[in-house]
Every structure is written in structure tokens, then in C-alpha cells.
Amino acid sequence: MKTSEAWTIVGGLSKPGKMPGWSIGIPAKECKTGAKLQKVPGSVCYDCYAMKGCYVFKVVQDAQYRRLAAIYTPQWVQAMAHLINSKKPDVFRWHDSGDVQDLEHLNKIYEVCRLTPGKRHWMPTREAWIKDHLDRAPANLVIRFSAPMVDQAAPASWPNTSTVVTAQATCPAPQQDNQCKDCRNCWNSEIKNISYGQH
């Protein structure tokens, strides 16, 4: 498969300025749990970053919906694996916007991770049902369950989590021009929780 062909099948990847590597964004409007939390004051989704700024531009929205539809095409897994293997560096973030849609989507993500063994994957999620499938997750994928409310304690039942806090965040990005730079903590399964400053 040619890289140009894979890019067309997937609908393209995204390259968040903060991140050291590539990602893929699908519409935040289509988040299952997130769509409910967007209506709840004090939730991490209430003022969702992926529902404002450049994310609301028609060209961005159109691209995200193309990527969402592409997930359910037969060649998606192979195309995603090809693209991720063709990119540098060795880290990939799942969903700079949006979240896992269903079990079929999760299974396909697992397969992509298995086909990209030289890459480290990180996937934040608010879909609690995924915990029932953590035992099947590839070793190169860190799934972090995101606590739904600002300043809420990290759920102890998940091996890896993330939280949003109003003080004492552990994510160093705000002190580093809002960039990850050399930090790879989100991809490190040995770090149980990452706390991000509310923004």
C-alpha cells in the first residue's frame, strides 16, 4: 500500500502543535460519554477544547467526519498501521479530538497497535466500558481513563489514568511553551496518573 493511498483511506492524520508526534482526530460531537459531559458544568468536557477554536472550522469538521466514517471500512487497519509506521517519531496519540466509538473501533485500534510494534501508543478515554477489555490491550498501548470532573480524584480501579486539576498539575507543558518537548510521561505505563492544568 502506498502512503498516499493509506492517507486517502484513513482521511488523513492530525499533527497537534503540542505533541511530539502524530494523532488522529474525529468529531468531539460524536463522543459517547463526552457528549453527555459537555452539558455538565464542572466536567472536563463542559468547555471542551475540541469544540472551539480551529476545531470548529468547516474544513476541520469535514475531515474529522471523513475519518470517523473511514474507521468502518475494510482497509482502515492496514492503512492506519502503514501511516503510523511511516511517520517519526516513535509515539502516537489516539484522538486529539473525539473518543472510542464502540467495541469494533477499539478492536481495530488494538490491531493497529499490534501492527506497529516499534511505536508507543497513548489513548486517553472517558469510555468506562473499555476497562472490561484492558486485558487484551497490546503492550505498546497505554490507555488512560480520564476522570470526568475537574479536580476529581483518579479512579483507583484503572492501571493508568489522567485528571484535570485547577492547581498542582504534573503535566509540564504550560512551563514549556505549551509543548511536550522531551516529556513522554503520557506514553509511560509506569506513571499511573497524569494531571493536566485546566484550560
Side-chain angles (χ1 to χ4, degrees), residues 22-90:
W22 293 78
S23 182
I24 186 165
I26 57 178
K29 291 178 183 177
E30 303 302 329
C31 291
K32 305 305 180 184
T33 300
K36 299 172 185 175
L37 289 172
Q38 286 166 20
K39 303 170 186 175
V40 180
S43 79
V44 295
C45 299
Y46 185 65
D47 189 30
C48 178
Y49 70 87
M51 297 282 285
K52 56 188 180 182
C54 295
Y55 284 97
V56 302
F57 294 165
K58 185 178 186 300
V59 64
V60 176
Q61 286 290 299
D62 288 349
Q64 289 182 344
Y65 274 98
R66 282 196 301 272
R67 293 179 197 138
L68 178 64
I71 292 166
Y72 302 100
T73 60
Q75 293 179 294
W76 186 82
V77 168
Q78 292 294 331
M80 278 297 300
H82 178 90
L83 286 178
I84 292 170
N85 279 326
S86 73
K87 301 294 183 187
K88 294 180 180 180
D90 68 342

Side-chain angles (χ1 to χ4, degrees), residues 93-129:
R93 174 187 172 166
W94 287 94
H95 310 134
D96 61 295
S97 66
D99 205 340
V100 179
Q101 297 294 293
D102 51 32
L103 183 56
E104 180 182 354
H105 187 193
L106 180 67
N107 286 337
K108 287 187 171 185
I109 289 170
Y110 282 4
E111 186 60 22
V112 172
C113 294
R114 292 187 188 99
L115 293 171
T116 55
K119 306 293 183 179
R120 291 182 290 163
H121 297 260
W122 156 47
M123 186 176 74
T125 186
R126 291 191 179 87
E127 298 300 325
W129 58 267

Side-chain angles (χ1 to χ4, degrees), residues 2 30 32 49 55 70 87 106 124-125 132 139 149 156-157 164-165 175 185:
K2 293 181 179 179
E30 303 302 329
K32 305 305 180 184
Y49 70 87
Y55 284 97
K87 301 294 183 187
L106 180 67
T125 186
D132 294 336
M149 304 300 290
S157 59
V164 175
V165 296
Q175 287 76 49
N185 288 348

